Amino acid sequence: MILTLNTWLDLLSKEAPDELNRVSRQVDPANFESAAIVDGLERKGRFPAVLFEKVTDVKGRATSCRILNNTFGTFRKIGLALGINSDKRMELLELILKKSSEGFSPNRIRLKEAPVRGFLHKGGGVDLSRLPLVRHTELDGGPYFTPVVVSRDPHGRYNVSWNRMQYLDERHLAIYMSPRHLWSYFAAQEAEGKDLPIAVVLGHHPAFHLTGSMLVPIGLDEYAATGGVMGHGLRLVSSETWGEDFWIPADAEIVLEGRILARRRCVEGPFGEFTGYTGAQRLSWVVEVDAVYGRENPTIIDIFPCKTEHINAHLPIEASIYSRAREAVPGIVKTCWVGSGGPFNLIISLNKKTEGEPMRAAMAAMSASNFIKHVIVVDSDVDPENKAEVMWALASRVQADQDVTILKNLQGQVLDPSLRHEIKSSGMIIDATLPLDRPFPQRGEVPEEIRKKINLSEYLEG
Ligand SMILES: Cc1cc2nc3c(=O)[nH]c(=O)nc-3n(C[C@H](O)[C@H](O)[C@H](O)COP(=O)(O)O)c2cc1C
């Protein structure tokens, strides 16, 4: 079966109906209304996907689009996107790694077979104000898309990354790029005075979106990795603007073809970010849109950036960090970044074999991604997902003068509000593992053989 956003919504309705809420009343997303509903649910500790069936455009007019939020609100929904009925974080991490490394070559199909070619507006006919864009937090500089961007390097490698975009006018968006692969593609083109062609995917099967946040090595094609994660070759169709020089996901909901303009900058933001704070207004890059096309009644995936769905959507990044740290230190059992209680904290558990391993594990994780600022390393008897256990290890196994290492001048996350420099950051590694080179008290436990022998229900009522 070809995976599309609609096949996933059908699966969700069937397998986990409590994970999907439909809102049939009209909402005005550019005026915070869809965000307020997602916010209201989160404040009640609820994270169902919310399908807004009637949404207005930037100017308050009715549209034929729908908006989906909280696609990644729970691990169960991420599991269903990956093809398993599980909400176990580590199981999902391992599955993402397995599927993406297996890969699947894309399949090219003809224009008339491509569902994404249901309607088309191009050139002067492009009017982005006809689409629903979303304001989430009070100070947002304008309404936004939170799409996945496809780009291509001169050697034909496709890159898939998540990049927010702010509405500027009928044909222009501002894009935010951290210094990663997309940014490097653009920098290389701009150095030659050229624009960078991109395809902006506003909705697809959630497995497609998840690949947008994988740290796929620059030598590997991300369309192939995406196919791996989806479990079949991604179907592609030639583009409207560049023909067979640029291939587009044929089963997407809506695609904007455009260019990141060389030597043009604009003011972007403020924007409520995944850090939980409103990020500053800054100079960003301008996208000019040349063509808009999509399915009839398309669904746009929106991510509320300050909320759980945004943090959870980073799970593939954690998978890459976990994999790289484990290459350095095979004794690593678990990591916990998504769910660690902060956007830049990573907790690693390992079966320590020699002194110094915790430091190597932490440094490998830190060098894998500038998303990691603080690393706490614990032994495998402590569950990184259990914050109380981690705090106990910190309290009882750490002497700050010897077990805390401060690193300076790391490339940080520009969005980190605590930075005192535009991008340079400090880092902290806390080794909360037990020493191997001196005695340490044993944990206070009931003897194991007695624990195993006692069946609670034989002693307690209810
Ligand atoms: C929901 C979500 C939104 C994101 N938004 C942005 C963004 O606006 N700009 C950005 O540079 N990275 C953003 N990221 C992170 C990148 O998508 C991610 O780091 C990706 O791996 C970068 O890909 P690249 O190295 O291929 O460019 C976002 C990640 C997620 C999960």
Side-chain angles (χ1 to χ4, degrees), residues 268-333:
E268 186 257 354
F271 185 63
E273 250 306 332
F274 82 113
T275 56
Y277 295 91
T278 303
Q281 205 171 41
R282 49 172 59 87
L283 269 191
S284 278
W285 302 263
V286 181
V287 176
E288 187 162 274
V289 177
D290 300 309
V292 180
Y293 49 85
R295 296 167 180 264
E296 302 302 332
N297 302 116
T299 304
I300 293 175
I301 290 191
D302 175 58
I303 301 284
F304 191 149
C306 287
K307 299 289 170 192
T308 300
E309 63 169 325
H310 193 176
I311 295 278
N312 285 358
H314 286 80
L315 202 65
I317 299 184
E318 184 178 338
S320 312
I321 294 168
Y322 164 65
S323 150
R324 299 214 197 148
R326 212 177 35 176
E327 272 167 29
V329 178
I332 290 179
V333 178

Side-chain angles (χ1 to χ4, degrees), residues 159 161-164 176-178 180-182 212 214 310 313:
N159 191 69
S161 60
W162 227 313
N163 296 84
R164 74 192 196 212
Y176 174 71
M177 298 184 282
S178 295
R180 299 198 192 96
H181 292 165
L182 175 62
M214 276 200 74
H310 193 176

Side-chain angles (χ1 to χ4, degrees), residues 451-462:
R451 245 192 304 145
K452 285 193 174 144
K453 222 166 61 188
I454 294 285
N455 183 350
L456 288 187
S457 59
E458 289 171 16
Y459 296 82
L460 301 170
E461 286 167 19

